[in-house]
């Protein structure tokens, strides 16, 4: 019986911090795994390398996403990594990926933790080692958090950019940024903000004044209402350390608000006196008690329409006008978010009527469905754009391959010159480092192109498919509840453009694999149930779909 050669996919990853602090090397991982394959007579099908990327999630790891797609082709027999945490740091993520491999009869190997996942004991070992690895990581995280909390309790600052101060390195690398020094020109802006708020000015008025005067935030951006609010509610400026305001920020964001944060006297010099701080807090608390304006959420296109002046998303706005007969009428608009948050120094309202915009979008979709001529023009545009997108990407990919080959030749040349003592060690190391940096940048771009090409499909889209997609979308919209309509529109519509006359000029709709599977495959009759969730309903087959395509109406 002929022996089948095992086709192996090598996956390697290193984050920027790991490479800097621990000396992990992509080249070392790859060399080790290549030698392993050579030793056991296995063929390397492909190498998938994510450079400078964290292992916390799949997002941004383009080469891992390409690997998960390629596993489905049936051309890979085994996936190997240098260490399990190169693939995933969380046990649940690792097990999901290994289960995905198993679904397509692909084995998983870790060079360092040597076991096989095909057997029951191998799977058990995988689960145990993954759990132990996650426990070790969580223990380290908890110890770091404990140390930071203790530092905060003693009045030390734990780092982070803040207007009015600069962070100073004190001690080793891990304690860098724990000491604060006042930046006079920034402190003047902070004092102005507190004094303006104490005089009765609101957040938006203060942001508008600061922007008109040319002031910038710590990151060099115009001031927004949120930026001003963060300053007037930050006790750091009154000499107080506040720490652990939010718990598990990466997972929960502002939902993880801690009811009992650490608040102690700080060791740094305050920018404003305690009296001014207390006055501003009293005013802020009083304003916070004011009943919020009535908002019934009847805005379907919030964040989808783009400002014709600055390109920022447009947000909900309304006006209440008294008629001659004494009654009031409420008019709904979408206005520039930059204007709403940062004032007229940054942009203008550029308001567009909400009733007009929402009706236009729905009518335009139905018009395209019912008019064969419009549909044909749309089809030609889509297929032309697809061919124009994929072609240049393939050319850029080939150009990168040529440049990488040239860098490899240069690297060999410098090694030869160094061995012949034609150049000194300092020049050799400098040039090799420069070539490595160039190579890393090209390889990162190559991974991005691979991701884009993998999501595209160069087969032409048919008119029947587009019509089917839009008809299904229209049917769902007509039967959907308000919240379902919002979800559908945000899932399908990428952005809506208007001109200076506040007229809609184009609607950009993007349909990817997830949206087509989860939403456009829903039977519209399933939407009729009150409060039903169309994500959980039985799917109906439309047509064989491309991975992703964009329609501009």
């Amino acid at each position: 019986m002929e022996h089948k050669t095992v086709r192996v996919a090598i996956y390697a990853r290193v984050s920027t911090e790991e490479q800097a602090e621990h000396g992990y090397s992509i080249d070392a991982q790859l060399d080790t795994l290549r030698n392993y394959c050579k030793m056991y007579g296995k063929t390397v099908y492909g190498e998938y390398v994510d450079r400078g990327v964290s292992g916390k999630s799949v997002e941004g790891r383009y080469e891992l996403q390409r690997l998960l797609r390629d596993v489905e082709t049936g051309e890979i027999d085994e996936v190997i990594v240098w260490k399990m945490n190169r693939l995933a740091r969380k046990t649940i993520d690792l097990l999901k990926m290994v289960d995905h491999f198993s679904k397509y009869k692909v084995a998983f190997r870790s060079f360092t933790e040597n076991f096989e996942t095909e057997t029951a004991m191998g799977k058990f070992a995988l689960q145990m080692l993954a759990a132990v690895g996650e426990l070790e990581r969580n223990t380290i995280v908890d110890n770091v958090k404990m140390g930071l909390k203790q530092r905060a309790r003693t009045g030390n600052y734990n780092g982070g950019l803040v207007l009015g101060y600069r962070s100073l390195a004190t001690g080793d690398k891990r304690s860098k940024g724990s000491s604060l020094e006042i930046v006079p020109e920034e402190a003047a802006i902070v004092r102005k903000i507190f004094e303006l708020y104490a005089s009765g000015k609101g957040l938006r008025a203060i942001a508008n004044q600061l922007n008109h005067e040319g002031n910038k935030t710590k990151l060099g951006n115009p001031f927004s209402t949120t930026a001003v609010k963060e300053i007037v509610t930050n006790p750091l400026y009154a000499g107080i350390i506040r720490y652990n305001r939010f718990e598990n920020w990466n997972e929960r964001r502002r939902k993880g608000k801690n009811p009992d944060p650490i608040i102690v006297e700080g060791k740094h010099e305050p920018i404003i006196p305690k009296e001014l701080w207390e006055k501003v807090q009293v005013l802020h608390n009083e304003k916070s008690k004011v009943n919020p304006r009535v908002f019934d959420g009847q805005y379907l296109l919030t964040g989808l329409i783009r400002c014709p002046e600055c390109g920022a998303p447009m947000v909900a706005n309304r006006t209440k006008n008294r008629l001659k007969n004494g009654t009031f009428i409420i008019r709904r608009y979408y206005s520039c978010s930059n204007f709403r948050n940062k004032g007229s120094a940054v942009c203008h309202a550029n308001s567009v009527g909400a009733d007009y915009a929402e009706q236009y979008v729905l009518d335009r979709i139905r018009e395209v469905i019912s008019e064969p001529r419009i549909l044909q023009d749309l089809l030609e545009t889509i297929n032309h754009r697809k061919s124009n997108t994929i072609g240049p990407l393939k050319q850029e990919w080939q150009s990168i391959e040529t440049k990488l080959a040239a860098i490899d030749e240069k690297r060999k040349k410098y090694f030869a010159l160094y061995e012949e003592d034609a150049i000194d060690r300092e020049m050799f190391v400098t040039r090799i480092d420069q070539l490595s940096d160039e190579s890393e940048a090209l390889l990162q771009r190559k991974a991005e192109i691979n991701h884009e090409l993998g999501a595209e499909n160069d087969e032409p889209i048919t008119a029947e498919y587009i019509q089917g997609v839009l008809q299904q979308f229209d049917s769902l919209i007509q039967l959907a509840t308000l919240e379902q309509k919002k979800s559908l529109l945000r899932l399908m519509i990428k952005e809506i453009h208007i001109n200076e006359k506040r007229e809609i000029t184009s609607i950009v709709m993007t349909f990817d694999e997830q949206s087509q599977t989860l939403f456009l495959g829903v039977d519209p009759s399933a939407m009729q149930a009150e409060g039903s969730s169309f994500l959980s309903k039985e799917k109906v087959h439309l047509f064989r779909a491309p991975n992703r395509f964009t329609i501009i109406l």
Side-chain angles (χ1 to χ4, degrees), residues 229-345:
K229 181 181 177 182
E230 282 297 308
I231 289 173
V232 299
T233 58
N234 190 347
L236 187 75
Y237 298 113
I240 300 169
I241 291 291
R242 179 182 62 190
Y243 185 70
N244 205 32
R245 185 166 49 137
F246 297 100
E247 296 181 310
N248 301 322
W249 176 262
N250 287 339
E251 289 81 19
R252 301 177 65 190
R253 300 291 175 184
R254 296 190 182 277
K255 291 182 181 179
K257 190 170 183 179
N258 184 3
D260 189 27
I262 296 170
I263 299 178
V264 297
E265 285 291 329
K267 294 181 178 179
H268 62 285
E269 181 184 353
I271 290 178
I272 62 166
K274 285 281 189 0
E275 296 77 14
L276 179 57
W277 162 257
E278 291 171 358
K279 180 179 179 179
V280 166
Q281 299 320 297
V282 170
L283 286 172
H284 184 264
N285 291 335
E286 286 301 317
K287 289 182 179 181
S288 300
K289 293 177 184 177
V290 176
N291 292 329
R293 63 189 182 95
V294 179
F295 181 77
D296 54 15
Q298 299 286 331
Y299 288 84
L300 299 179
L301 305 178
T302 299
L304 297 179
I305 303 176
R306 298 290 165 175
C307 173
E309 186 175 348
C310 71
M314 301 186 75
V315 296
N317 188 22
R318 63 173 65 197
T319 59
K320 187 176 182 181
N321 305 112
R322 183 193 293 271
L323 301 178
K324 291 182 178 179
N325 60 8
T327 60
F328 289 92
I329 183 172
I330 295 176
R331 293 185 171 88
R332 299 185 309 124
Y333 298 94
Y334 293 102
S335 302
C336 175
S337 58
N338 269 340
F339 169 75
R340 299 284 300 167
N341 290 324
K342 302 173 184 177
S344 58

Side-chain angles (χ1 to χ4, degrees), residues 38-235:
K38 185 177 181 181
M39 182 184 302
Y40 289 95
K42 300 179 180 183
T43 301
V44 177
Y45 170 82
E47 295 177 356
Y48 303 77
V49 182
D50 281 315
R51 291 172 165 79
V53 182
S54 170
K56 289 182 180 179
S57 69
V58 177
E59 186 178 353
R61 296 167 69 184
Y62 300 128
E63 286 294 271
L64 176 59
Q65 294 176 38
R66 185 167 70 92
L67 171 61
L68 294 174
R69 287 199 306 267
D70 287 355
V71 161
E72 301 174 9
T73 65
E75 297 180 6
I76 297 174
D77 302 311
E78 182 180 304
V79 172
I80 185 169
V81 296
W82 174 63
K83 199 173 182 179
M84 281 192 307
N85 64 12
R86 299 302 88 197
L87 192 65
R89 289 198 174 277
K90 291 186 177 180
T91 304
I92 188 169
D93 293 336
L94 178 65
L95 295 178
K96 282 181 179 179
M97 290 184 204
V98 173
D99 185 60
H100 179 75
F101 299 155
S102 178
K103 179 180 177 182
Y104 295 96
K105 295 181 172 56
V106 175
F108 172 68
R109 296 278 186 280
S110 167
F111 178 83
T112 306
E113 303 101 350
N114 190 17
F115 56 84
E116 298 179 351
T117 58
E118 295 91 330
T119 65
M121 285 303 297
K123 290 179 181 178
F124 177 73
L126 170 71
Q127 294 168 358
M128 290 301 99
L129 284 170
V132 170
E134 185 170 353
L135 174 62
E136 289 177 348
R137 179 175 177 271
N138 290 340
T139 301
I140 292 171
V141 170
D142 289 341
N143 289 339
V144 170
K145 286 182 178 179
M146 188 183 303
L148 292 174
K149 286 179 181 179
Q150 184 57 34
R151 283 180 50 77
R153 290 190 185 99
T154 58
N156 289 293
Y157 184 61
N158 278 322
L161 292 174
V162 58
L163 188 72
Y165 293 100
R166 68 168 60 93
S167 296
L168 299 178
T170 55
D172 59 21
K173 184 177 180 180
R174 291 187 178 276
S175 64
K176 183 179 179 181
S178 61
S179 177
L180 290 175
E181 180 182 72
I182 290 179
V183 181
E185 57 271 23
E186 293 180 4
I189 299 174
V190 172
R191 293 189 189 97
K192 175 178 282 190
I193 290 172
F194 275 89
E195 289 165 0
L196 289 172
Y197 198 92
S199 70
K201 283 203 170 187
L203 299 176
R204 186 182 171 200
I206 294 173
N208 194 25
Q209 179 174 332
L210 293 172
N211 292 330
H212 272 292
E213 293 172 354
N215 297 302
K216 300 291 182 182
T217 66
K218 188 73 171 182
L219 295 176
N221 300 318
F223 278 91
S224 65
T225 53
T226 302
V228 175
K229 181 181 177 182
E230 282 297 308
I231 289 173
V232 299
T233 58
N234 190 347

Side-chain angles (χ1 to χ4, degrees), residues 410-411 413-415 417-419 421-436:
K410 288 180 181 178
R411 190 181 282 116
K413 172 186 172 184
Y414 280 106
F415 271 105
L417 290 172
Y418 181 64
E419 289 173 353
D421 292 327
I423 56 174
D424 60 27
R425 185 178 185 280
E426 184 178 354
M427 179 179 289
F428 170 72
V429 171
T430 301
R431 287 300 295 137
I432 291 298
D433 286 345
Q434 289 174 347
L435 291 173
S436 295

Side-chain angles (χ1 to χ4, degrees), residues 69 72 511-518 545-549:
R69 287 199 306 267
E72 301 174 9
F511 298 84
D512 58 21
E513 214 166 7
Q514 182 187 38
S515 65
Q516 293 171 74
T517 302
L518 295 180
N547 291 342
R548 181 180 66 192
F549 67 96

